[in-house]
Amino acid sequence: MASAAPTLTRTETDSLGSMEIPADAYWGIHTARADENFPITKRPISVYPDLVRALAMVKQASARANREIGVLDPERADLIDRAAQRVIDGEFHDQFTVGVIQGGAGTSTNMNANEVITNIALEMAGHEKGDYAFLSPIDHTNRSQSTNDVYPTAVKIGLSLTLRALLEELDLLRRSFLAKSGEFHDVLKVGRTQLQDAVPMTLGQEFHGFATTLGEDHSRLTENASLMFEINMGATAIGTGITTHSDYAPAVLKHLREITGLDLETATDLVESTSDTGAFMSFSSSLKRNAIKLSKICNDLRLLSSGPQAGFGEINLPARQAGSSIMPGKVNPVIPEVVNQVAFAVVGADMTVTMAVEGGQLQLNAFEPVIAHSIFQSITWMRQAMWTLRVNCVDGITANRDRLGTMVGASVGVITALTPFIGYAAAAALAKTALLTNRSVADLVVEAGLMSREEVTKQLSPARLSGLEAVTAAIPIIPTDDLIEI
């Protein structure tokens, strides 16, 4: 039996000693140690592609800035620049292997980026991977930088890029509800408050309300996106800018703005900015708001479609899969249910962010990795939840028009539309009678001589019941004693 071919390795050394690294790996010893130390989530940072791209953008901007201010020679700066661009373009993401949750305030992530970009550059220059005498991950790729300004800056840029996709999907979902509001504009139904029958409205009005809610959330998220635009590049370790040229911060800001297309600005107090993570908490809170409101909409969809025979049964959700292993024919509202669960996870992630922000000490918050992971996960899950809600649910919703019409016709709540003409006391008495006798409100009003059949029919038209037309008149004084006996 032939023996397996030996695995080719290269030897890399750090301050703790030496390790054998697979010869074809673009990562190096710092990444290898992190992979050994943090096998927690089994989820590498590459699960968030925008974070990887953002890290490469920071390295690219730094290389350009370092060349511009004369602290990095043009050859090495150009190699780092071109290697980073390849990562930005989507190459080598599988080499970003460190876990999303890690100790060290993001040092492992920063070093993973330094090593990968350096080894790509070495290969492009015709050198062997690991030939750090020519191009070093720390002395060259990380020049003028620290994890403590690179990592939070990359996280903010990555979140800004990821948020764009969320906002696009949120607007598509809003448009889907808006389309349904047009489709259902003439479908009367009974509105409800506190789960009890209220006054009539149209199903279109209900769906238009959903669309408006999502539009408001789009605006709030867009506003909160600006929280991610303040960066601390040039702060290095604690905000004092130690080891960094005084011209570096404005130079790297200029290049980052050009590369990202974002309206970034350097914090006025780099010491404060390096230790403060409050912006992440505010940003996370806006995501939670969106998730909670989306979950409420899904609760309403589940209620409105409940039954279909023994529940509300007002709308039909698309049947996506069999709902029971024991009850034939049962179909569950699985799409709204999964969105509900995503919302619960977002709420939990927001609490994680809150506690991590509070947990920082002195000049640095060591818990930024869990902050980053929590927010990236929330945005990613919410975007995917919105997609499945739109495509697999909302777009296919239909109305049970006959059932809705029957419920409106039998509803005592329609008498509210007549109170401007017969008064509240008379309307309340007739409503009680209608409930006791199971008779039509319209018939009782006409029989009591309070309004003619023509007047009642006019005021109970869909347009007036739904508030699209509002008509009132002076309320006559009507004795109510005899009305209760009708």
Side-chain angles (χ1 to χ4, degrees):
M1 179 178 179
S3 59
T7 301
L8 299 178
T9 63
R10 65 177 188 267
T11 303
E12 291 196 15
T13 303
D14 64 4
S15 59
L16 299 181
S18 298
M19 291 182 70
E20 294 301 306
I21 306 298
D24 61 350
Y26 289 87
W27 45 264
I29 188 170
H30 295 279
T31 302
R33 292 198 190 280
D35 287 341
E36 287 185 352
N37 291 333
F38 312 123
I40 310 300
T41 63
K42 302 299 183 182
R43 299 176 70 186
I45 59 172
S46 58
V47 299
Y48 304 126
D50 285 328
L51 175 58
V52 174
R53 293 189 185 96
L55 287 162
M57 289 175 175
V58 172
K59 299 301 173 181
Q60 185 179 61
S62 293
R64 293 178 182 180
N66 285 328
R67 174 177 179 168
E68 181 179 311
I69 64 177
V71 301
L72 191 60
D73 65 272
E75 181 184 8
R76 290 184 175 88
D78 181 63
L79 282 169
I80 295 169
D81 189 334
R82 290 191 290 129
Q85 186 62 52
R86 294 180 68 181
V87 176
I88 294 169
D89 292 339
E91 295 185 68
F92 304 103
H93 283 212
D94 63 325
Q95 298 296 307
F96 289 78
T97 62
V98 299
V100 291
I101 303 297
Q102 56 193 249
T107 297
S108 297
T109 294
N110 184 37
M111 287 307 303
N112 195 166
N114 286 332
E115 290 174 337
V116 171
I117 290 172
T118 298
N119 281 309
I120 296 170
L122 285 169
E123 190 173 66
M124 291 169 62
H127 290 261
E128 295 292 327
K129 298 184 188 72
D131 184 5
Y132 301 146
F134 174 75
L135 186 67
S136 165
I138 296 176
D139 291 335
H140 301 121
T141 305
N142 199 60
R143 185 65 186 267
S144 305
Q145 304 154 63
S146 163
T147 291
N148 302 345
D149 55 6
V150 167
Y151 187 77
T153 297
V155 169
K156 288 178 177 179
I157 292 171
L159 289 174
S160 299
L161 299 176
T162 300
L163 183 63
R164 289 175 179 174
L166 173 67
L167 291 173
E168 289 172 2
E169 190 55 58
L170 177 57
D171 189 57
L172 289 173
L173 181 60
R174 180 191 68 83
R175 291 173 183 271
S176 180
F177 276 110
L178 198 60
K180 286 296 169 182
S181 75
E183 181 182 339
F184 302 148
H185 75 280
D186 60 342
V187 182
L188 272 178
K189 60 161 287 177
V190 177
R192 297 179 181 84
T193 57
Q194 295 163 272
L195 289 180
Q196 303 301 303
D197 296 347
V199 297
M201 65 185 300
T202 68
L203 191 61
Q205 288 173 315
E206 193 162 30
F207 275 72
H208 193 279
F210 297 153
T212 300
T213 289
L214 297 179
E216 290 176 350
D217 279 348
H218 191 285
S219 297
R220 299 296 82 75
L221 285 168
T222 301
E223 291 168 4
N224 277 284
S226 62
L227 295 171
M228 298 295 102
F229 293 167
E230 183 183 89
I231 63 172
N232 69 329
M233 290 301 293
T236 63
I238 63 172
T240 61
I242 191 170
T243 74
T244 302
H245 193 284
S246 59
D247 293 335
Y248 171 77
V252 76
L253 174 65
K254 178 186 69 175
H255 290 295
L256 265 178
R257 288 169 66 100
E258 292 172 352
I259 292 166
T260 65
L262 299 173
D263 191 21
L264 304 173
E265 61 180 18
T266 301
T268 56
D269 187 331
L270 291 178
V271 172
E272 184 276 339
S273 181
T274 302
S275 63
D276 178 53
T277 50
F280 292 122
M281 184 168 60
S282 297
F283 186 76
S284 176
S285 179
S286 67
L287 291 171
K288 180 181 72 173
R289 167 193 158 121
N290 182 211
I292 290 298
K293 293 173 73 175
L294 192 61
S295 186
K296 188 271 181 188
I297 291 173
C298 286
N299 289 339
D300 286 352
L301 295 179
R302 290 167 55 215
L303 275 174
L304 294 175
S305 65
S306 62
Q309 294 173 302
F312 283 17
E314 296 187 2
I315 61 174
N316 305 300
L317 305 185
R320 296 301 306 172
Q321 61 189 64
S324 174
S325 61
I326 189 173
M327 293 175 280
K330 191 173 191 294
V331 178
N332 295 326
V334 294
I335 304 301
E337 286 172 350
V338 78
V339 177
N340 288 136
Q341 292 175 76
V342 167
F344 306 155
V346 171
V347 173
D350 180 65
M351 178 56 72
T352 298
V353 171
T354 301
M355 297 308 299
V357 168
E358 186 276 336
Q361 299 98 8
L362 304 177
Q363 278 67 61
L364 183 68
N365 189 311
F367 309 119
E368 288 185 9
V370 76
I371 292 174
H373 165 57
S374 298
I375 301 178
F376 271 111
Q377 175 179 280
S378 291
I379 294 178
T380 302
W381 286 14
M382 284 175 62
R383 183 183 72 245
Q384 292 166 178
M386 290 175 188
W387 177 87
T388 195
L389 180 62
R390 172 174 60 89
V391 173
N392 294 321
C393 183
V394 177
D395 285 348
I397 291 175
T398 58
N400 282 329
R401 293 173 179 261
D402 292 342
R403 180 176 174 82
L404 288 166
T406 299
M407 286 193 288
V408 170
S411 172
V412 172
V414 299
I415 202 168
T416 302
L418 304 181
T419 56
F421 305 93
I422 67 175
Y424 185 91
L430 289 173
K432 182 177 181 180
T433 301
L435 287 171
L436 291 173
T437 62
N438 200 30
R439 295 189 61 197
S440 162
V441 163
D443 291 342
L444 291 175
V445 171
V446 173
E447 289 176 16
L450 301 179
M451 298 177 70
S452 68
R453 176 67 66 180
E454 181 182 5
E455 290 172 331
V456 170
T457 300
K458 180 179 180 181
Q459 297 308 324
L460 296 186
S461 68
R464 298 203 175 169
L465 283 178
S466 61
L468 298 178
E469 292 180 5
V471 179
T472 188
I475 299 173
I477 298 175
I478 301 173
T480 59
D481 294 343
D482 296 335
L483 294 177
I484 299 174
E485 303 301 327
I486 291 177

